[in-house]
Amino acid sequence: MNLKYRLLVFLLILGFQFSIAQHNIIPVPVNYEKSNGSFVFQDEIKFKTGNKEIKSLKSTQLFQNYLTNLGISSSFDKKAKGNFISIDLNKKKNSAIGKEGYILEVNDKSIALKANDPAGIFNGLQTLKQLIPIVNSRTIEIQSCKIVDYPRFAWRGLMLDVSRHFFTVDEIKSYLDKMSAYKFNVFHWHLTDDQGWRIEIKSYPKLTEVGAWRVERNGTFGEGRAAPKEGEKATYGGFYSQEQIKDIVRYAADRNITIVPEIDVPGHSMAVLAAYPELSVQKESKYVSPGNKFSEWYGDGTFKMLIENTLNPIDENVYDFIDKVFTEVAQLFPGDYIHMGGDEAYHGYWDENPEVQKFMKKHKIKNSHELQSYFVKRVEKIISSKGKKMIGWDEILEGGLADGAAVMSWRGMKGGIEAAKMGHEVVMTPTTYAYLDYMQGDVTVENKIYASLSLEKTYKFEPVPDEIEAKYVLGGQGNLWTEAVPTLQFAYYMTYPRAFAIAETLWSQKKDKNWDDFVRRTEENMIRFDREGDNIAKAVFDPIVTVYKNDDVVMCKLENNIPGTEIYYSIDNTYPVKFAKKYTDPFMIPAGNLKLHTQTFREGKPIGHELIINREDLVKRIKK
Ligand code: ACM
């Protein structure tokens, strides 16, 4: 064979292999083998099963509803010969796929889904939904294939903060629907914080009568929001009744999601103290924070609370309160874990209080970290007495970790590493890879927050650091704090597509992660969001603008991480940029009253935003 011919054969083989791997599933399955042919159906489909319970499984019914929305009617028919979907639980367990895994086979006559457990059936049906192409045609054609799939981690979570903004029962259900489609199985529900207490506790009614409501303020949290005025009515807020919580817990369970409720103590408790000020050290009356400034942050992680928001760790009434609250919480949530927060508890009011100091001396507690540790250990005993395991943010390591506590590492991975080395379970959720409240694109087009986290960086998240044993890492999660997220659709915008990246990190095999292929599948799933009328960020398409100085010359670099795109720009105030310059190399930003216009294109069509940045703002981006 001459060289040219050999090259052609090589390219053909490469192309063939690529087509084998081609599908749009997120998270990428462990094994996908494409085969010849396809399963075609139109208007109607039959289901078949060898297990009676399959028909009554919620996951099967949900899949049937999904088909109905596509205009396809479905019914069970044990005599169906061709053109059916069979769903079966393995009579003999297949140890290769565990509880949540499944095997899905598509050929030209039938689709067969098998799993060991209903959780696997649920996950397999999520994959099957993604195998149905996005077409506006009554004929549906699914490529023949065999998929063997199971998760890498048991804890695949998303956290939603419902205190800073309240989300209704229906909104929570929608959020659960979306996350379950990408095989997340833990919903960490941040139910309490300074800005609102959101769970009905029958033994402390004022928690919701008072603590769930704040005066209404708009605009960004912090300096711009005024404190409540004397006598001003608290009108913004809401809470979930215990009946509503039971309903949501069931709804989640039907979607293979366990809820981990978080009651954040001893800090982040201003809403508790608005209802029961006697549980603080100062016992002064408080209000539920409307997001006004009440703390000062010093840039190194230290801070001062200008208004007391911590529970009193030396007061037995506080432990009585915690016992009663966690009794009710434990009864409502059937999952193994209860989250007790523990983060960012300000110790200043403890340090300044003579009673607290006397108590510390008496009990040989050397400093406020040890005092918090004393508190956390008591909370751990309370939670374990309810038959639950305690998990808390990584501050619970400070002053000594409670036996049996699991740690949620958020200030990087170091807390998780330290806890795992001591033999504790950990969940990795570092700000650097998993904080979904951070901006995902250019500050000029995003809702401005103090930090950024791109989709590509999120995709690089690896929950098991080299220095610890993988068995201690339960998994990870993305966290959506909602100071700047007032609506469900904006919650989707902040969550997706970064949650796709997190889902893939937590479900898929590490070796199968591939950025370029992930982007291709992400784009397909963006179309699914668009079709459902839901918001998803497309910031990943936007140019990444870097400004630096070369001697005294201001230079600008443009890039993005999407294969097959071109970036166009102008610095002469002309637009649209399509008619300006195609970016090749860093260019000079001359002096003058000018703006950079820039946008990414694919095949001549703009994708993503046009960024427009004044010279003055460009210069501010130069790193000192
Ligand atoms: C946190 O972000 N305060 C856990």
Side-chain angles (χ1 to χ4, degrees):
M1 273 197 286
N2 70 28
L3 192 65
K4 242 188 194 162
Y5 188 67
R6 269 198 307 216
L7 191 68
L8 187 70
V9 170
F10 174 74
L11 287 174
L12 279 174
I13 292 171
L14 203 73
F16 176 68
Q17 283 182 337
F18 191 64
S19 75
I20 281 187
Q22 195 88 347
H23 60 75
N24 294 312
I25 304 160
I26 294 179
V28 68
V30 175
N31 202 355
Y32 173 93
E33 268 173 54
K34 184 168 161 179
S35 45
N36 288 334
S38 57
F39 181 82
V40 182
F41 61 109
Q42 193 178 357
D43 299 335
E44 197 192 352
I45 188 90
K46 298 285 184 208
F47 283 85
K48 237 174 136 165
T49 181
N51 316 89
K52 275 203 280 314
E53 70 174 292
I54 292 289
K55 260 191 216 181
S56 54
L57 276 187
K58 193 74 188 180
S59 57
T60 315
Q61 292 163 6
L62 289 170
F63 184 70
Q64 289 186 275
N65 293 347
Y66 184 82
L67 292 177
T68 306
N69 287 337
L70 296 177
I72 298 156
S73 64
S74 61
S75 55
F76 276 83
D77 177 359
K78 56 177 182 284
K79 293 202 205 80
K81 286 261 167 14
N83 229 275
F84 61 83
I85 300 175
S86 69
I87 304 178
D88 288 290
L89 287 167
N90 292 323
K91 296 213 165 62
K92 188 168 169 297
K93 299 257 190 260
N94 174 348
S95 62
I97 57 172
K99 186 167 180 284
E100 290 193 281
Y102 62 92
I103 296 176
L104 183 64
E105 286 191 81
V106 180
N107 62 38
D108 50 13
K109 298 209 172 49
S110 64
I111 295 177
L113 172 62
K114 292 200 179 92
N116 294 328
D117 187 275
I121 299 290
F122 181 85
N123 289 323
L125 289 171
Q126 303 321 301
T127 295
L128 184 51
K129 280 186 340 196
Q130 291 191 41
L131 287 179
I132 298 175
I134 304 168
V135 282
N136 286 327
S137 152
R138 283 176 50 227
T139 309
I140 290 176
E141 182 172 1
I142 301 179
Q143 175 65 50
S144 294
C145 62
K146 179 171 181 184
I147 298 174
V148 179
D149 200 15
Y150 47 86
R152 181 176 169 208
F153 292 104
W155 185 303
R156 305 181 303 280
L158 287 179
M159 186 214 78
L160 182 68
D161 163 11
V162 295
S163 174
R164 274 55 177 268
H165 281 101
F166 178 65
F167 295 83
T168 64
V169 170
D170 284 346
E171 288 172 337
I172 298 294
K173 287 180 175 175
S174 298
Y175 200 80
L176 293 168
D177 282 341
K178 276 263 186 283
M179 59 186 271
S180 68
Y182 297 97
K183 304 188 179 82
F184 283 103
N185 66 350
V186 174
F187 177 60
H188 171 174
W189 205 359
H190 185 78
L191 284 161
T192 73
D193 215 301
D194 301 308
Q195 289 79 11
W197 179 282
R198 306 275 177 235
I199 170 173
E200 179 189 22
I201 298 294
K202 296 202 195 277
S203 44
Y204 287 88
K206 281 198 288 184
L207 285 172
T208 46
E209 284 164 16
V210 175
W213 303 95
R214 64 186 193 227
V215 301
E216 181 130 26
R217 295 286 181 270
N218 293 294
T220 47
F221 271 52
E223 310 269 351
R225 290 191 176 204
K229 295 192 200 71
E230 188 71 36
E232 190 177 356
K233 254 205 153 70
T235 53
Y236 177 87
F239 65 92
Y240 310 101
S241 71
Q242 295 203 350
E243 284 314 305
Q244 287 174 323
I245 284 176
K246 285 180 202 159
D247 176 37
I248 288 173
V249 165
R250 264 193 309 270
Y251 191 90
D254 285 340
R255 286 153 184 78
N256 192 38
I257 293 173
T258 303
I259 300 187
V260 175
E262 180 183 351
I263 304 295
D264 199 350
V265 288
H268 288 272
S269 292
M270 211 160 133
V272 177
L273 299 179
Y276 299 101
E278 62 273 24
L279 298 176
S280 68
V281 165
Q282 292 191 316
K283 309 194 191 313
E284 287 169 356
S285 80
K286 303 270 173 359
Y287 54 79
V288 179
S289 168
N292 58 313
K293 180 179 156 81
F294 73 99
S295 59
E296 277 173 357
W297 291 81
Y298 305 121
D300 58 355
T302 62
F303 59 96
K304 178 179 172 147
M305 286 295 166
L306 307 172
I307 301 173
E308 187 187 20
N309 71 338
T310 29
L311 303 180
N312 182 353
I314 69 162
D315 184 353
E316 284 309 309
N317 292 323
V318 166
Y319 297 104
D320 195 37
F321 167 80
I322 285 173
D323 192 294
K324 291 202 172 92
V325 168
F326 282 125
T327 298
E328 294 189 35
V329 169
Q331 281 164 0
L332 287 168
F333 294 93
D336 292 340
Y337 294 86
I338 290 180
H339 202 302
M340 56 70 63
D343 58 320
E344 299 173 325
Y346 179 63
H347 300 163
Y349 296 93
W350 303 351
D351 290 338
E352 286 163 16
N353 183 278
E355 298 286 317
V356 174
Q357 294 308 307
K358 208 158 87 193
F359 178 91
M360 286 168 68
K361 220 180 215 147
K362 184 169 162 208
H363 291 86
K364 300 195 171 41
I365 296 172
K366 287 199 281 297
N367 54 43
S368 62
H369 288 309
E370 282 191 14
L371 181 57
Q372 173 152 340
S373 172
Y374 163 86
F375 173 89
V376 171
K377 285 175 180 162
R378 288 199 58 178
V379 174
E380 194 282 328
K381 284 212 165 63
I382 291 169
I383 289 177
S384 60
S385 77
K386 318 290 169 210
K388 303 287 183 184
K389 292 194 210 177
M390 187 185 88
I391 185 164
W393 299 109
D394 59 46
E395 284 93 333
I396 66 171
L397 279 152
E398 293 166 4
L401 185 57
D403 290 344
V407 170
M408 191 167 267
S409 193
W410 72 281
R411 296 174 302 176
M413 311 280 276
K414 61 180 188 309
I417 293 169
E418 191 183 331
K421 283 187 173 164
M422 293 192 285
H424 289 251
E425 292 176 331
V426 302
V427 175
M428 294 296 195
T429 173
T431 55
T432 37
Y433 296 96
Y435 263 41
L436 302 174
D437 56 327
Y438 288 6
M439 287 183 295
Q440 49 200 316
D442 197 89
V443 62
T444 55
V445 285
E446 298 296 322
N447 193 3
K448 192 171 177 194
I449 314 284
Y450 59 92
S452 291
L453 173 62
S454 68
L455 176 63
E456 194 183 25
K457 179 88 189 278
T458 307
Y459 196 64
K460 289 182 177 149
F461 179 30
E462 168 46 44
V464 184
D466 290 340
E467 57 264 60
I468 60 173
E469 283 183 68
K471 69 174 185 192
Y472 295 116
V473 182
L474 298 176
Q477 67 182 35
N479 294 337
L480 184 60
W481 303 101
T482 59
E483 285 91 339
V485 183
T487 66
L488 176 68
Q489 285 300 336
F490 200 62
Y492 284 155
Y493 179 89
M494 297 306 284
T495 305
Y496 298 96
R498 288 180 294 188
F500 294 163
I502 292 171
E504 190 142 307
T505 293
L506 299 174
W507 175 280
S508 307
Q509 299 297 297
K510 189 176 167 182
K511 68 174 175 42
D512 293 334
K513 283 174 75 179
N514 173 313
W515 169 253
D516 287 359
D517 192 58
F518 171 72
V519 169
R520 185 183 60 71
R521 288 177 285 113
T522 291
E523 288 196 44
E524 166 92 3
N525 280 274
M526 283 176 173
I527 299 170
R528 290 181 188 272
F529 269 66
D530 290 344
R531 191 175 62 173
E532 284 163 22
D534 288 323
N535 200 0
I536 183 164
K538 309 224 167 118
V540 66
F541 299 128
D542 296 348
I544 301 163
V545 180
T546 312
V547 189
Y548 59 97
K549 253 191 174 168
N550 233 352
D551 296 326
D552 265 348
V553 180
V554 178
M555 300 292 294
C556 182
K557 186 167 108 181
L558 303 176
E559 53 193 331
N560 77 25
N561 300 311
I562 306 298
T565 57
E566 295 171 333
I567 301 175
Y568 281 76
Y569 73 98
S570 76
I571 48 168
D572 57 5
N573 298 340
T574 63
Y575 49 88
V577 286
K578 183 174 163 176
F579 299 106
K581 285 198 179 92
K582 180 172 156 182
Y583 177 82
T584 51
D585 293 299
F587 54 91
M588 195 180 117
I589 305 278
N593 177 18
L594 56 85
K595 289 184 176 75
L596 169 71
H597 287 247
T598 182
Q599 193 167 20
T600 304
F601 288 76
R602 184 192 279 138
E603 289 162 8
K605 291 202 179 64
I607 54 172
H609 303 95
E610 179 177 354
L611 307 181
I612 306 172
I613 313 171
N614 291 322
R615 187 182 192 281
E616 202 184 326
D617 293 325
L618 286 169
V619 170
K620 280 190 200 144
R621 294 181 183 211
I622 298 173
K623 287 219 172 73
K624 295 280 167 356

